[in-house]
Amino acid sequence: MKTAKKILFSFAILIFGVGAGILIWVFAFNGADKFQAFSDFPEKPQGNYDGFYYESLNDDEKIAYELIMAEIVNFPEKIHVPSLDEKELSNVFDALHYDNPNFFFLGDNCVFESSSFGTNYFVPEYAMSPKVYNRKMEELEDVKDEILENTAHLTDDYDKELYVHDYIIDNCQYVDKVGGSYSSSYGCLVDGYASCEGYAKAMKYLFDETGIENYIAFGTTEADNGQNDGHAWNIVQINSAFYHVDSTWNDPVDSDVENRYAYFNVNDEEISKTHTVDKRFFGVCTATEENYYVRNSLIFSEYNDDTRNAITSEFARQLMLENSTLSFKVTDGKALNDMIENLFELNSVYTILFSANSIANKQISQQDISYAIDDTHLIVIISDFI
């Protein structure tokens, strides 16, 4: 009997010792975080976000993304997340940047911190203070509000997209710099200087605000030195189909010729003439109906009466908009040679412009007209008629 009591007493002491050890661990050695690590996280992502990059994450990455999204706008020093390897951390960080073009307060780097007790943290780098960010966000929202006001009467997503695209080209200048403000929506829309990533993020920010489904796409393009450079643009959904739109390459950088619609709502085949598209984005854009030249009936297979009438109408439309440039597309090399011969060598472009001038009721000079040819896309650009 005494032996049994001794065993029970020893067992009680053991239980007490284990309990005391746990308490010491919890309160003295930060072991509470270990318990938190096992108890705080949901078993599955909640699915509260629908960004393209969020949807591409695995479950652990999505949970981390959701936890970060819930706290990041408060500028915390670190955020408690599930364990992530280096690739998973990179995926989450990219998703935060590319799904949320208003997160320009985030720096270009982050780290994953893991304690010896198994607690894991996402540790962000901030590019600015909360005070500076709030001020800059107000400036960005002022631009957004102006655009929303100017597109409020538009009912077609194509028209909204065109307005946003043209606004960015008219108000931003491309710079060959990477990171910081140049790679942000703020740099593009407020400072007026941006890299391709800044253009793409600005497009996404405004498309999101105008209700156009879209996401940022990546690939490479060939630079002047023959090297392949990383490049960013957008994929948009217009009237149930997806298209590539590259506002950077439509911006006439260092050129007197405004060929601004060569990359407006093009399919995979067309953009692949100059862009190498990441496999994640290839095979998505196959339609042509909302391409700028298809939509505006500006693709011609030969020079004839119908062609002349269509070009005359386009001249008149641009004159009434007080634009000094127009462009159209042809189907093949034979049609291109036919256009050049009739319009510019035989000077029928002046007869067309005279007719357009009468329709638009504009008194303009018809003496100094310039033209250029985009051989890659078979596009004719006529300018300087105002």
Side-chain angles (χ1 to χ4, degrees), residues 189-224:
L189 294 172
V190 180
D191 289 339
Y193 297 93
S195 65
C196 61
E197 186 175 326
Y199 275 70
K201 286 180 177 177
M203 292 277 279
K204 175 166 176 54
Y205 174 71
L206 294 175
F207 287 156
D208 287 349
E209 295 294 333
T210 53
I212 298 173
E213 184 174 342
N214 73 101
Y215 53 91
I216 296 173
F218 292 94
T220 61
T221 55
E222 186 174 319
D224 293 338

PDB file of all heavy atoms in Angstrom, residues 189-224:
ATOM      1  N   LEU A 189       1.778  57.885 -62.267  1.00  0.00           N
ATOM      2  CA  LEU A 189       0.598  58.742 -62.318  1.00  0.00           C
ATOM      3  C   LEU A 189       0.771  60.088 -61.633  1.00  0.00           C
ATOM      4  O   LEU A 189       0.064  61.045 -61.975  1.00  0.00           O
ATOM      5  CB  LEU A 189      -0.589  58.002 -61.693  1.00  0.00           C
ATOM      6  CG  LEU A 189      -1.063  56.771 -62.468  1.00  0.00           C
ATOM      7  CD1 LEU A 189      -2.108  56.008 -61.662  1.00  0.00           C
ATOM      8  CD2 LEU A 189      -1.607  57.163 -63.832  1.00  0.00           C
ATOM      9  N   VAL A 190       1.684  60.196 -60.692  1.00  0.00           N
ATOM     10  CA  VAL A 190       1.868  61.467 -59.968  1.00  0.00           C
ATOM     11  C   VAL A 190       3.183  62.137 -60.379  1.00  0.00           C
ATOM     12  O   VAL A 190       3.195  63.301 -60.804  1.00  0.00           O
ATOM     13  CB  VAL A 190       1.823  61.257 -58.441  1.00  0.00           C
ATOM     14  CG1 VAL A 190       2.019  62.593 -57.721  1.00  0.00           C
ATOM     15  CG2 VAL A 190       0.485  60.632 -58.033  1.00  0.00           C
ATOM     16  N   ASP A 191       4.295  61.406 -60.289  1.00  0.00           N
ATOM     17  CA  ASP A 191       5.581  61.989 -60.678  1.00  0.00           C
ATOM     18  C   ASP A 191       5.687  62.170 -62.189  1.00  0.00           C
ATOM     19  O   ASP A 191       6.349  63.081 -62.676  1.00  0.00           O
ATOM     20  CB  ASP A 191       6.739  61.115 -60.194  1.00  0.00           C
ATOM     21  CG  ASP A 191       6.912  61.164 -58.677  1.00  0.00           C
ATOM     22  OD1 ASP A 191       6.425  62.131 -58.059  1.00  0.00           O
ATOM     23  OD2 ASP A 191       7.526  60.231 -58.126  1.00  0.00           O
ATOM     24  N   GLY A 192       5.046  61.239 -62.934  1.00  0.00           N
ATOM     25  CA  GLY A 192       5.098  61.326 -64.391  1.00  0.00           C
ATOM     26  C   GLY A 192       6.322  60.699 -65.012  1.00  0.00           C
ATOM     27  O   GLY A 192       6.622  60.933 -66.185  1.00  0.00           O
ATOM     28  N   TYR A 193       7.042  59.860 -64.253  1.00  0.00           N
ATOM     29  CA  TYR A 193       8.213  59.140 -64.751  1.00  0.00           C
ATOM     30  C   TYR A 193       8.140  57.701 -64.253  1.00  0.00           C
ATOM     31  O   TYR A 193       7.938  57.470 -63.061  1.00  0.00           O
ATOM     32  CB  TYR A 193       9.517  59.782 -64.262  1.00  0.00           C
ATOM     33  CG  TYR A 193       9.722  61.196 -64.754  1.00  0.00           C
ATOM     34  CD1 TYR A 193       9.306  62.274 -63.989  1.00  0.00           C
ATOM     35  CD2 TYR A 193      10.335  61.438 -65.984  1.00  0.00           C
ATOM     36  CE1 TYR A 193       9.490  63.583 -64.435  1.00  0.00           C
ATOM     37  CE2 TYR A 193      10.520  62.734 -66.442  1.00  0.00           C
ATOM     38  CZ  TYR A 193      10.090  63.802 -65.663  1.00  0.00           C
ATOM     39  OH  TYR A 193      10.266  65.088 -66.118  1.00  0.00           O
ATOM     40  N   ALA A 194       8.330  56.739 -65.155  1.00  0.00           N
ATOM     41  CA  ALA A 194       8.205  55.345 -64.722  1.00  0.00           C
ATOM     42  C   ALA A 194       8.900  54.401 -65.683  1.00  0.00           C
ATOM     43  O   ALA A 194       9.096  54.704 -66.861  1.00  0.00           O
ATOM     44  CB  ALA A 194       6.732  54.962 -64.595  1.00  0.00           C
ATOM     45  N   SER A 195       9.263  53.238 -65.145  1.00  0.00           N
ATOM     46  CA  SER A 195       9.736  52.121 -65.945  1.00  0.00           C
ATOM     47  C   SER A 195       8.523  51.342 -66.445  1.00  0.00           C
ATOM     48  O   SER A 195       7.379  51.683 -66.148  1.00  0.00           O
ATOM     49  CB  SER A 195      10.621  51.215 -65.093  1.00  0.00           C
ATOM     50  OG  SER A 195       9.834  50.628 -64.053  1.00  0.00           O
ATOM     51  N   CYS A 196       8.784  50.267 -67.176  1.00  0.00           N
ATOM     52  CA  CYS A 196       7.673  49.460 -67.682  1.00  0.00           C
ATOM     53  C   CYS A 196       6.820  48.907 -66.542  1.00  0.00           C
ATOM     54  O   CYS A 196       5.590  48.829 -66.654  1.00  0.00           O
ATOM     55  CB  CYS A 196       8.191  48.323 -68.556  1.00  0.00           C
ATOM     56  SG  CYS A 196       9.281  47.138 -67.715  1.00  0.00           S
ATOM     57  N   GLU A 197       7.463  48.558 -65.428  1.00  0.00           N
ATOM     58  CA  GLU A 197       6.703  48.044 -64.285  1.00  0.00           C
ATOM     59  C   GLU A 197       5.803  49.125 -63.706  1.00  0.00           C
ATOM     60  O   GLU A 197       4.661  48.843 -63.302  1.00  0.00           O
ATOM     61  CB  GLU A 197       7.652  47.515 -63.212  1.00  0.00           C
ATOM     62  CG  GLU A 197       6.945  46.837 -62.048  1.00  0.00           C
ATOM     63  CD  GLU A 197       7.905  46.212 -61.058  1.00  0.00           C
ATOM     64  OE1 GLU A 197       8.976  45.717 -61.487  1.00  0.00           O
ATOM     65  OE2 GLU A 197       7.594  46.222 -59.849  1.00  0.00           O
ATOM     66  N   GLY A 198       6.291  50.360 -63.677  1.00  0.00           N
ATOM     67  CA  GLY A 198       5.465  51.460 -63.206  1.00  0.00           C
ATOM     68  C   GLY A 198       4.267  51.691 -64.112  1.00  0.00           C
ATOM     69  O   GLY A 198       3.141  51.914 -63.640  1.00  0.00           O
ATOM     70  N   TYR A 199       4.488  51.623 -65.439  1.00  0.00           N
ATOM     71  CA  TYR A 199       3.374  51.742 -66.383  1.00  0.00           C
ATOM     72  C   TYR A 199       2.342  50.648 -66.118  1.00  0.00           C
ATOM     73  O   TYR A 199       1.132  50.911 -66.068  1.00  0.00           O
ATOM     74  CB  TYR A 199       3.889  51.601 -67.811  1.00  0.00           C
ATOM     75  CG  TYR A 199       4.418  52.861 -68.468  1.00  0.00           C
ATOM     76  CD1 TYR A 199       5.607  53.451 -68.054  1.00  0.00           C
ATOM     77  CD2 TYR A 199       3.744  53.445 -69.534  1.00  0.00           C
ATOM     78  CE1 TYR A 199       6.104  54.586 -68.670  1.00  0.00           C
ATOM     79  CE2 TYR A 199       4.233  54.580 -70.168  1.00  0.00           C
ATOM     80  CZ  TYR A 199       5.422  55.148 -69.729  1.00  0.00           C
ATOM     81  OH  TYR A 199       5.904  56.282 -70.348  1.00  0.00           O
ATOM     82  N   ALA A 200       2.820  49.410 -65.984  1.00  0.00           N
ATOM     83  CA  ALA A 200       1.909  48.277 -65.808  1.00  0.00           C
ATOM     84  C   ALA A 200       1.133  48.373 -64.500  1.00  0.00           C
ATOM     85  O   ALA A 200      -0.061  48.073 -64.447  1.00  0.00           O
ATOM     86  CB  ALA A 200       2.690  46.965 -65.870  1.00  0.00           C
ATOM     87  N   LYS A 201       1.802  48.806 -63.427  1.00  0.00           N
ATOM     88  CA  LYS A 201       1.112  48.941 -62.146  1.00  0.00           C
ATOM     89  C   LYS A 201       0.099  50.075 -62.181  1.00  0.00           C
ATOM     90  O   LYS A 201      -0.985  49.974 -61.583  1.00  0.00           O
ATOM     91  CB  LYS A 201       2.123  49.157 -61.016  1.00  0.00           C
ATOM     92  CG  LYS A 201       2.895  47.902 -60.641  1.00  0.00           C
ATOM     93  CD  LYS A 201       3.881  48.169 -59.516  1.00  0.00           C
ATOM     94  CE  LYS A 201       4.609  46.895 -59.095  1.00  0.00           C
ATOM     95  NZ  LYS A 201       5.615  47.160 -58.045  1.00  0.00           N
ATOM     96  N   ALA A 202       0.432  51.168 -62.869  1.00  0.00           N
ATOM     97  CA  ALA A 202      -0.525  52.264 -63.007  1.00  0.00           C
ATOM     98  C   ALA A 202      -1.748  51.817 -63.805  1.00  0.00           C
ATOM     99  O   ALA A 202      -2.888  52.145 -63.451  1.00  0.00           O
ATOM    100  CB  ALA A 202       0.143  53.457 -63.683  1.00  0.00           C
ATOM    101  N   MET A 203      -1.516  51.080 -64.866  1.00  0.00           N
ATOM    102  CA  MET A 203      -2.635  50.549 -65.657  1.00  0.00           C
ATOM    103  C   MET A 203      -3.502  49.652 -64.784  1.00  0.00           C
ATOM    104  O   MET A 203      -4.735  49.775 -64.793  1.00  0.00           O
ATOM    105  CB  MET A 203      -2.095  49.760 -66.852  1.00  0.00           C
ATOM    106  CG  MET A 203      -1.393  50.600 -67.900  1.00  0.00           C
ATOM    107  SD  MET A 203      -2.505  51.381 -69.089  1.00  0.00           S
ATOM    108  CE  MET A 203      -2.809  50.005 -70.205  1.00  0.00           C
ATOM    109  N   LYS A 204      -2.873  48.773 -64.008  1.00  0.00           N
ATOM    110  CA  LYS A 204      -3.651  47.877 -63.158  1.00  0.00           C
ATOM    111  C   LYS A 204      -4.439  48.651 -62.118  1.00  0.00           C
ATOM    112  O   LYS A 204      -5.620  48.356 -61.868  1.00  0.00           O
ATOM    113  CB  LYS A 204      -2.747  46.851 -62.472  1.00  0.00           C
ATOM    114  CG  LYS A 204      -3.534  45.975 -61.486  1.00  0.00           C
ATOM    115  CD  LYS A 204      -2.816  44.766 -61.031  1.00  0.00           C
ATOM    116  CE  LYS A 204      -3.620  44.012 -59.974  1.00  0.00           C
ATOM    117  NZ  LYS A 204      -4.992  43.679 -60.417  1.00  0.00           N
ATOM    118  N   TYR A 205      -3.796  49.607 -61.482  1.00  0.00           N
ATOM    119  CA  TYR A 205      -4.482  50.414 -60.457  1.00  0.00           C
ATOM    120  C   TYR A 205      -5.738  51.071 -61.025  1.00  0.00           C
ATOM    121  O   TYR A 205      -6.815  51.014 -60.414  1.00  0.00           O
ATOM    122  CB  TYR A 205      -3.520  51.468 -59.919  1.00  0.00           C
ATOM    123  CG  TYR A 205      -4.155  52.450 -58.951  1.00  0.00           C
ATOM    124  CD1 TYR A 205      -4.538  52.056 -57.670  1.00  0.00           C
ATOM    125  CD2 TYR A 205      -4.381  53.771 -59.328  1.00  0.00           C
ATOM    126  CE1 TYR A 205      -5.128  52.953 -56.791  1.00  0.00           C
ATOM    127  CE2 TYR A 205      -4.962  54.670 -58.452  1.00  0.00           C
ATOM    128  CZ  TYR A 205      -5.336  54.259 -57.186  1.00  0.00           C
ATOM    129  OH  TYR A 205      -5.917  55.148 -56.313  1.00  0.00           O
ATOM    130  N   LEU A 206      -5.623  51.664 -62.200  1.00  0.00           N
ATOM    131  CA  LEU A 206      -6.770  52.354 -62.788  1.00  0.00           C
ATOM    132  C   LEU A 206      -7.792  51.377 -63.364  1.00  0.00           C
ATOM    133  O   LEU A 206      -8.999  51.612 -63.282  1.00  0.00           O
ATOM    134  CB  LEU A 206      -6.292  53.327 -63.862  1.00  0.00           C
ATOM    135  CG  LEU A 206      -5.450  54.491 -63.331  1.00  0.00           C
ATOM    136  CD1 LEU A 206      -4.911  55.336 -64.482  1.00  0.00           C
ATOM    137  CD2 LEU A 206      -6.255  55.362 -62.370  1.00  0.00           C
ATOM    138  N   PHE A 207      -7.333  50.278 -63.932  1.00  0.00           N
ATOM    139  CA  PHE A 207      -8.276  49.267 -64.408  1.00  0.00           C
ATOM    140  C   PHE A 207      -9.074  48.684 -63.245  1.00  0.00           C
ATOM    141  O   PHE A 207     -10.288  48.467 -63.348  1.00  0.00           O
ATOM    142  CB  PHE A 207      -7.541  48.143 -65.142  1.00  0.00           C
ATOM    143  CG  PHE A 207      -7.031  48.514 -66.504  1.00  0.00           C
ATOM    144  CD1 PHE A 207      -5.968  47.826 -67.070  1.00  0.00           C
ATOM    145  CD2 PHE A 207      -7.591  49.546 -67.235  1.00  0.00           C
ATOM    146  CE1 PHE A 207      -5.484  48.145 -68.322  1.00  0.00           C
ATOM    147  CE2 PHE A 207      -7.120  49.882 -68.497  1.00  0.00           C
ATOM    148  CZ  PHE A 207      -6.062  49.178 -69.034  1.00  0.00           C
ATOM    149  N   ASP A 208      -8.401  48.415 -62.136  1.00  0.00           N
ATOM    150  CA  ASP A 208      -9.104  47.915 -60.946  1.00  0.00           C
ATOM    151  C   ASP A 208     -10.188  48.898 -60.520  1.00  0.00           C
ATOM    152  O   ASP A 208     -11.312  48.502 -60.184  1.00  0.00           O
ATOM    153  CB  ASP A 208      -8.120  47.712 -59.791  1.00  0.00           C
ATOM    154  CG  ASP A 208      -7.217  46.504 -59.973  1.00  0.00           C
ATOM    155  OD1 ASP A 208      -7.472  45.697 -60.884  1.00  0.00           O
ATOM    156  OD2 ASP A 208      -6.233  46.389 -59.212  1.00  0.00           O
ATOM    157  N   GLU A 209      -9.850  50.182 -60.536  1.00  0.00           N
ATOM    158  CA  GLU A 209     -10.789  51.204 -60.077  1.00  0.00           C
ATOM    159  C   GLU A 209     -11.953  51.391 -61.046  1.00  0.00           C
ATOM    160  O   GLU A 209     -13.049  51.770 -60.636  1.00  0.00           O
ATOM    161  CB  GLU A 209     -10.059  52.531 -59.860  1.00  0.00           C
ATOM    162  CG  GLU A 209      -9.018  52.509 -58.741  1.00  0.00           C
ATOM    163  CD  GLU A 209      -9.643  52.307 -57.375  1.00  0.00           C
ATOM    164  OE1 GLU A 209     -10.814  52.669 -57.190  1.00  0.00           O
ATOM    165  OE2 GLU A 209      -8.959  51.769 -56.481  1.00  0.00           O
ATOM    166  N   THR A 210     -11.723  51.148 -62.328  1.00  0.00           N
ATOM    167  CA  THR A 210     -12.796  51.293 -63.312  1.00  0.00           C
ATOM    168  C   THR A 210     -13.549  49.987 -63.553  1.00  0.00           C
ATOM    169  O   THR A 210     -14.456  49.940 -64.384  1.00  0.00           O
ATOM    170  CB  THR A 210     -12.241  51.816 -64.652  1.00  0.00           C
ATOM    171  OG1 THR A 210     -11.157  50.982 -65.080  1.00  0.00           O
ATOM    172  CG2 THR A 210     -11.755  53.250 -64.517  1.00  0.00           C
ATOM    173  N   GLY A 211     -13.159  48.931 -62.839  1.00  0.00           N
ATOM    174  CA  GLY A 211     -13.905  47.676 -62.906  1.00  0.00           C
ATOM    175  C   GLY A 211     -13.520  46.760 -64.045  1.00  0.00           C
ATOM    176  O   GLY A 211     -14.292  45.868 -64.413  1.00  0.00           O
ATOM    177  N   ILE A 212     -12.325  46.937 -64.618  1.00  0.00           N
ATOM    178  CA  ILE A 212     -11.866  46.084 -65.714  1.00  0.00           C
ATOM    179  C   ILE A 212     -10.984  44.975 -65.148  1.00  0.00           C
ATOM    180  O   ILE A 212      -9.981  45.250 -64.485  1.00  0.00           O
ATOM    181  CB  ILE A 212     -11.076  46.902 -66.753  1.00  0.00           C
ATOM    182  CG1 ILE A 212     -11.979  47.970 -67.381  1.00  0.00           C
ATOM    183  CG2 ILE A 212     -10.493  45.990 -67.828  1.00  0.00           C
ATOM    184  CD1 ILE A 212     -11.241  48.927 -68.297  1.00  0.00           C
ATOM    185  N   GLU A 213     -11.346  43.737 -65.392  1.00  0.00           N
ATOM    186  CA  GLU A 213     -10.524  42.620 -64.910  1.00  0.00           C
ATOM    187  C   GLU A 213      -9.187  42.634 -65.636  1.00  0.00           C
ATOM    188  O   GLU A 213      -9.127  42.738 -66.867  1.00  0.00           O
ATOM    189  CB  GLU A 213     -11.233  41.290 -65.138  1.00  0.00           C
ATOM    190  CG  GLU A 213     -10.464  40.105 -64.577  1.00  0.00           C
ATOM    191  CD  GLU A 213     -11.219  38.798 -64.662  1.00  0.00           C
ATOM    192  OE1 GLU A 213     -12.459  38.820 -64.845  1.00  0.00           O
ATOM    193  OE2 GLU A 213     -10.561  37.741 -64.540  1.00  0.00           O
ATOM    194  N   ASN A 214      -8.105  42.492 -64.877  1.00  0.00           N
ATOM    195  CA  ASN A 214      -6.785  42.588 -65.487  1.00  0.00           C
ATOM    196  C   ASN A 214      -5.725  42.033 -64.546  1.00  0.00           C
ATOM    197  O   ASN A 214      -5.986  41.829 -63.365  1.00  0.00           O
ATOM    198  CB  ASN A 214      -6.459  44.049 -65.802  1.00  0.00           C
ATOM    199  CG  ASN A 214      -6.140  44.854 -64.553  1.00  0.00           C
ATOM    200  OD1 ASN A 214      -4.975  45.104 -64.235  1.00  0.00           O
ATOM    201  ND2 ASN A 214      -7.164  45.252 -63.793  1.00  0.00           N
ATOM    202  N   TYR A 215      -4.546  41.821 -65.065  1.00  0.00           N
ATOM    203  CA  TYR A 215      -3.395  41.497 -64.235  1.00  0.00           C
ATOM    204  C   TYR A 215      -2.120  41.856 -64.980  1.00  0.00           C
ATOM    205  O   TYR A 215      -2.141  42.124 -66.188  1.00  0.00           O
ATOM    206  CB  TYR A 215      -3.382  40.035 -63.796  1.00  0.00           C
ATOM    207  CG  TYR A 215      -3.518  39.002 -64.891  1.00  0.00           C
ATOM    208  CD1 TYR A 215      -2.396  38.468 -65.520  1.00  0.00           C
ATOM    209  CD2 TYR A 215      -4.776  38.524 -65.270  1.00  0.00           C
ATOM    210  CE1 TYR A 215      -2.518  37.493 -66.497  1.00  0.00           C
ATOM    211  CE2 TYR A 215      -4.905  37.553 -66.253  1.00  0.00           C
ATOM    212  CZ  TYR A 215      -3.777  37.043 -66.867  1.00  0.00           C
ATOM    213  OH  TYR A 215      -3.890  36.096 -67.847  1.00  0.00           O
ATOM    214  N   ILE A 216      -1.029  41.919 -64.242  1.00  0.00           N
ATOM    215  CA  ILE A 216       0.267  42.276 -64.807  1.00  0.00           C
ATOM    216  C   ILE A 216       0.931  41.022 -65.364  1.00  0.00           C
ATOM    217  O   ILE A 216       0.943  39.972 -64.721  1.00  0.00           O
ATOM    218  CB  ILE A 216       1.158  42.937 -63.746  1.00  0.00           C
ATOM    219  CG1 ILE A 216       0.529  44.264 -63.286  1.00  0.00           C
ATOM    220  CG2 ILE A 216       2.567  43.178 -64.285  1.00  0.00           C
ATOM    221  CD1 ILE A 216       1.243  44.911 -62.112  1.00  0.00           C
ATOM    222  N   ALA A 217       1.464  41.129 -66.572  1.00  0.00           N
ATOM    223  CA  ALA A 217       2.155  40.020 -67.216  1.00  0.00           C
ATOM    224  C   ALA A 217       3.632  40.348 -67.352  1.00  0.00           C
ATOM    225  O   ALA A 217       4.031  41.518 -67.373  1.00  0.00           O
ATOM    226  CB  ALA A 217       1.551  39.746 -68.588  1.00  0.00           C
ATOM    227  N   PHE A 218       4.448  39.289 -67.469  1.00  0.00           N
ATOM    228  CA  PHE A 218       5.892  39.468 -67.572  1.00  0.00           C
ATOM    229  C   PHE A 218       6.458  38.626 -68.704  1.00  0.00           C
ATOM    230  O   PHE A 218       5.896  37.613 -69.112  1.00  0.00           O
ATOM    231  CB  PHE A 218       6.579  39.066 -66.264  1.00  0.00           C
ATOM    232  CG  PHE A 218       6.283  39.985 -65.119  1.00  0.00           C
ATOM    233  CD1 PHE A 218       5.249  39.700 -64.241  1.00  0.00           C
ATOM    234  CD2 PHE A 218       7.017  41.142 -64.942  1.00  0.00           C
ATOM    235  CE1 PHE A 218       4.957  40.551 -63.186  1.00  0.00           C
ATOM    236  CE2 PHE A 218       6.737  42.004 -63.894  1.00  0.00           C
ATOM    237  CZ  PHE A 218       5.703  41.707 -63.013  1.00  0.00           C
ATOM    238  N   GLY A 219       7.600  39.086 -69.197  1.00  0.00           N
ATOM    239  CA  GLY A 219       8.327  38.360 -70.222  1.00  0.00           C
ATOM    240  C   GLY A 219       9.623  39.083 -70.490  1.00  0.00           C
ATOM    241  O   GLY A 219      10.159  39.779 -69.627  1.00  0.00           O
ATOM    242  N   THR A 220      10.133  38.966 -71.708  1.00  0.00           N
ATOM    243  CA  THR A 220      11.351  39.670 -72.090  1.00  0.00           C
ATOM    244  C   THR A 220      11.162  40.302 -73.459  1.00  0.00           C
ATOM    245  O   THR A 220      10.330  39.864 -74.264  1.00  0.00           O
ATOM    246  CB  THR A 220      12.573  38.733 -72.140  1.00  0.00           C
ATOM    247  OG1 THR A 220      12.347  37.709 -73.122  1.00  0.00           O
ATOM    248  CG2 THR A 220      12.827  38.099 -70.784  1.00  0.00           C
ATOM    249  N   THR A 221      11.948  41.349 -73.712  1.00  0.00           N
ATOM    250  CA  THR A 221      12.011  41.976 -75.029  1.00  0.00           C
ATOM    251  C   THR A 221      13.477  42.222 -75.348  1.00  0.00           C
ATOM    252  O   THR A 221      14.321  42.302 -74.449  1.00  0.00           O
ATOM    253  CB  THR A 221      11.250  43.317 -75.054  1.00  0.00           C
ATOM    254  OG1 THR A 221      11.759  44.169 -74.016  1.00  0.00           O
ATOM    255  CG2 THR A 221       9.762  43.093 -74.848  1.00  0.00           C
ATOM    256  N   GLU A 222      13.778  42.361 -76.615  1.00  0.00           N
ATOM    257  CA  GLU A 222      15.170  42.555 -77.022  1.00  0.00           C
ATOM    258  C   GLU A 222      15.523  44.037 -76.967  1.00  0.00           C
ATOM    259  O   GLU A 222      14.838  44.873 -77.570  1.00  0.00           O
ATOM    260  CB  GLU A 222      15.399  42.019 -78.433  1.00  0.00           C
ATOM    261  CG  GLU A 222      16.863  42.069 -78.858  1.00  0.00           C
ATOM    262  CD  GLU A 222      17.102  41.407 -80.200  1.00  0.00           C
ATOM    263  OE1 GLU A 222      16.498  40.338 -80.440  1.00  0.00           O
ATOM    264  OE2 GLU A 222      17.882  41.962 -80.998  1.00  0.00           O
ATOM    265  N   ALA A 223      16.586  44.355 -76.245  1.00  0.00           N
ATOM    266  CA  ALA A 223      17.042  45.734 -76.120  1.00  0.00           C
ATOM    267  C   ALA A 223      17.884  46.128 -77.336  1.00  0.00           C
ATOM    268  O   ALA A 223      18.219  45.293 -78.186  1.00  0.00           O
ATOM    269  CB  ALA A 223      17.855  45.904 -74.839  1.00  0.00           C
ATOM    270  N   ASP A 224      18.211  47.410 -77.415  1.00  0.00           N
ATOM    271  CA  ASP A 224      19.003  47.907 -78.545  1.00  0.00           C
ATOM    272  C   ASP A 224      20.368  47.225 -78.633  1.00  0.00           C
ATOM    273  O   ASP A 224      20.937  47.108 -79.725  1.00  0.00           O
ATOM    274  CB  ASP A 224      19.199  49.426 -78.419  1.00  0.00           C
ATOM    275  CG  ASP A 224      17.896  50.188 -78.590  1.00  0.00           C
ATOM    276  OD1 ASP A 224      16.959  49.624 -79.207  1.00  0.00           O
ATOM    277  OD2 ASP A 224      17.803  51.333 -78.112  1.00  0.00           O
TER     278      ASP A 224
END
